[in-house]
């Protein structure tokens, strides 16, 4: 593997460095970040440097990336009830998948016993809880014996993460 980690203070040019490195790469590149604002800033840097974002480069938020490449392609494998359902995203604060028992205490739905209630809100469609998104992807990769990671690696030989 040829992995690199760059740690530098804000404003030091990390994003510009990623953009220039991506532009010099002919293979497919994914640049992922946490916020829409930073995704837009990265896109703007490409336009400044190159006039456009080349077709071999994808820019996605981490949430969008995980939904597109880790959840949706494997949702039916994880649970047959999820075949042919469009899964959305439910941002939550605190802990998801909980209920109040008759004793007024908070309990969590179990992953194996109550799969849907553990991972998803069903109000207004099936939406995966924000605090369960990464767990779902990891469990999908385990259940498929590495197919999630293999799929991602085959699509994106280069993945850049911009904090």
């Amino acid at each position: 593997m040829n992995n690199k980690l760059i740690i530098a203070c804000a404003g030091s040019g990390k994003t510009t460095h990623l953009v220039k490195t991506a532009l010099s790469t002919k293979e497919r590149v994914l640049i992922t970040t946490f916020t829409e604002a930073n995704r837009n800033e990265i896109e703007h840097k490409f336009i400044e440097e190159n006039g456009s974002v080349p077709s071999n480069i994808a820019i996605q938020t981490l949430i969008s990336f995980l939904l597109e490449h880790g959840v949706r392609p494997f949702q039916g494998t994880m649970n047959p009830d999820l075949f042919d359902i469009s899964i959305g995203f439910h941002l939550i604060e605190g802990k998801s998948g909980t209920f109040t028992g008759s004793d007024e205490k908070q309990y969590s739905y179990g992953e194996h016993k109550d799969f849907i209630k553990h991972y998803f809100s069903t109000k207004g469609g099936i939406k995966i809880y924000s605090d369960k998104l990464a767990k779902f992807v990891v469990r999908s990769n385990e259940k498929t014996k590495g197919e999630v990671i293999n799929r991602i690696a085959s699509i994106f030989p280069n993945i850049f993460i911009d904090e």
Side-chain angles (χ1 to χ4, degrees), residues 70-71 73-75 77-78 115 119 133-149:
V71 174
F74 300 95
Q75 64 192 48
T77 302
M78 289 295 288
F115 182 88
Y119 281 104
L133 180 59
K135 179 181 179 180
F136 187 95
V137 174
V138 169
R139 294 284 197 263
S140 295
N141 193 59
E142 290 168 352
K143 187 167 185 169
T144 62
K145 296 180 176 35
E147 286 183 32
V148 176
I149 298 300

Side-chain angles (χ1 to χ4, degrees), residues 6-7 18-19 30 32 34 55 88 90 97 107 117 123 146 154:
I6 299 171
I7 300 174
L18 289 180
V19 167
L30 167 69
T32 186
F34 293 109
S55 61
H90 183 76
Y107 296 93
K117 291 179 181 178
K123 295 175 183 153
S154 71

Side-chain angles (χ1 to χ4, degrees), residues 63 89-94 96 119 128-134:
I63 291 167
F89 180 73
H90 183 76
L91 181 62
I92 63 143
E93 292 182 21
S96 67
Y119 281 104
I128 193 163
Y129 292 121
S130 57
D131 67 331
K132 301 279 177 40
L133 180 59

Side-chain angles (χ1 to χ4, degrees), residues 57-135:
I57 297 172
I59 308 167
Q60 291 185 287
T61 63
L62 184 60
I63 291 167
S64 168
F65 166 70
L66 291 175
L67 282 170
E68 183 177 343
H69 297 288
V71 174
R72 292 179 181 139
F74 300 95
Q75 64 192 48
T77 302
M78 289 295 288
N79 186 306
D81 293 339
L82 297 175
F83 274 115
D84 301 322
I85 291 176
S86 178
I87 292 180
F89 180 73
H90 183 76
L91 181 62
I92 63 143
E93 292 182 21
K95 188 175 181 183
S96 67
T98 62
F99 63 96
T100 304
S102 58
D103 57 1
E104 300 300 316
K105 292 183 181 177
Q106 285 282 60
Y107 296 93
S108 295
Y109 289 106
E111 179 178 6
H112 300 291
K113 187 175 179 185
D114 294 300
F115 182 88
I116 298 294
K117 291 179 181 178
H118 177 77
Y119 281 104
F120 302 97
S121 166
T122 55
K123 295 175 183 153
I126 301 290
K127 297 178 182 176
I128 193 163
Y129 292 121
S130 57
D131 67 331
K132 301 279 177 40
L133 180 59
K135 179 181 179 180

